[in-house]
């Protein structure tokens, strides 16, 4: 059993049990069990079980089960199951999710191939026509080796692709995500992350609602950690 307080960050797998308080951040997978309170943030996958209270925020994927109370908020994806108190906001992202109680916000009918709608849906910041996105990289800030297209994301530089294709399918662009953790899902061995900006006009959501898009070019703003916090460089 792990008890996390303050600004602690925890990754829980297997049959782990986590109690999270304060501003703790937890990522739970397998059969992990999490009790979240305060302003804790939890991402639940697999068969994880989460009990959330206070102002906790939970994102549930796979077959995760969530019981949410107080003024906590829940995002229900895939086949997750949510039981919520009367004042819990539940965002329904999948018709396969099961939700009981709460204040339901059904987003399953959004046109998530529309760039602006996709950005709004995933909480992507857009200012002056530029979207803020993230890329998961290897130790040397390179991505794309697995596709024989190694691309360096150097801070302060503009990165461009040579095979741009303006559709909503994989390939034909630089692939990015709304958060570093979501970007890491497409490069599970990644060790470094960068924040980039890209023209909204060139952004193409991939797969109608997945946390992945592609762009023609992007500007690398800075290096961040897995939770989008800027890294201090000397």
């Amino acid at each position: 059993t792990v008890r996390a307080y303050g600004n602690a960050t925890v990754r829980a797998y297997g049959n782990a049990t986590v109690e999270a308080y304060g501003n703790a951040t937890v990522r739970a997978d397998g059969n992990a069990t999490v009790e979240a309170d305060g302003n804790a943030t939890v991402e639940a996958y697999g068969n994880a079980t989460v009990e959330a209270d206070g102002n906790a925020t939970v994102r549930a994927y796979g077959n995760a089960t969530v019981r949410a109370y107080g003024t906590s908020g829940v995002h229900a994806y895939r086949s997750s199951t949510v039981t919520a108190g009367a004042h819990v906001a539940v965002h329904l992202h999948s018709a396969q999710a099961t939700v009981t109680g709460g204040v339901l916000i059904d987003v399953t009918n959004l046109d998530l191939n529309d760039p602006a709608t996709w950005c709004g849906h995933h909480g992507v910041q857009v200012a002056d026509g530029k979207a803020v996105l993230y890329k998961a990289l290897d130790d040397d800030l390179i991505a794309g080796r697995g596709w024989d297209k190694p691309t360096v994301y150097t801070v302060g530089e503009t990165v461009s692709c040579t095979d741009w294709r303006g559709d909503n399918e994989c390939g034909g662009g630089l692939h990015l995500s709304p958060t570093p953790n979501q970007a890491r899902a497409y490069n599970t061995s990644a060790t470094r992350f960068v924040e980039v900006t890209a023209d909204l006009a060139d952004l193409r959501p991939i797969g109608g609602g997945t946390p992945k898009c592609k762009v023609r070019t992007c500007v690398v703003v800075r290096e961040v950690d897995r939770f989008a916090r800027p890294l201090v460089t000397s």
Side-chain angles (χ1 to χ4, degrees):
T1 299
V2 177
R3 293 180 176 85
Y5 303 88
N7 297 310
T9 299
V10 179
R11 299 177 196 169
Y13 304 92
N15 296 310
T17 299
V18 179
E19 295 179 6
Y21 306 90
N23 296 310
T25 300
V26 179
R27 184 180 182 200
D29 208 339
N31 295 310
T33 300
V34 180
E35 293 183 6
D37 206 338
N39 296 310
T41 299
V42 179
E43 292 188 358
Y45 301 82
N47 295 311
T49 299
V50 179
E51 288 196 3
D53 207 339
N55 297 311
T57 299
V58 180
R59 293 180 175 84
Y61 304 84
N63 295 311
T65 299
V66 178
R67 290 183 289 274
Y69 311 96
T71 56
S72 54
V74 179
H75 292 259
Y77 299 85
R78 300 176 190 166
S79 299
S80 57
T81 299
V82 177
T83 301
H87 304 120
V88 175
V90 181
H91 291 75
L92 180 64
H93 297 266
S94 167
Q96 282 71 53
T98 300
V99 178
T100 302
V103 179
L104 189 65
I105 303 171
D106 189 344
V107 297
T108 56
N109 292 320
L110 294 177
D111 178 9
L112 294 177
N113 282 330
D114 174 71
T117 302
W118 182 87
C119 286
H121 176 70
H122 287 286
V124 174
Q125 179 184 348
V126 179
D128 298 325
K130 303 285 186 180
V132 178
L133 299 159
Y134 297 90
K135 186 70 177 180
L137 304 167
D138 298 334
D139 285 340
D140 49 9
L141 295 177
I142 290 178
R145 283 193 172 94
W147 306 100
D148 294 324
K149 293 182 180 179
T151 304
V152 183
Y153 286 76
T154 303
V155 174
E157 298 293 327
T158 297
V159 182
S160 301
C161 68
T162 58
D163 60 348
W164 173 246
R165 193 177 67 241
D167 56 24
N168 299 103
E169 304 296 328
C170 276
L174 304 173
H175 291 193
L176 305 167
S177 290
T179 70
N181 270 325
Q182 289 169 326
R184 190 174 185 270
Y186 302 103
N187 181 6
T188 55
S189 62
T191 56
R192 300 174 74 179
F193 307 88
V194 291
E195 176 185 302
V196 308
T197 59
D199 289 336
L200 181 64
D202 277 343
L203 187 152
R204 297 293 182 272
I206 295 175
T210 63
K212 181 169 67 168
C213 68
K214 63 182 180 181
V215 300
R216 187 194 310 263
T217 65
C218 66
V219 176
V220 184
V221 176
R222 55 188 172 183
E223 188 170 359
V224 298
D225 67 11
R226 283 187 57 196
F227 302 99
R229 297 175 293 209
L231 296 182
V232 177
T233 58
S234 56

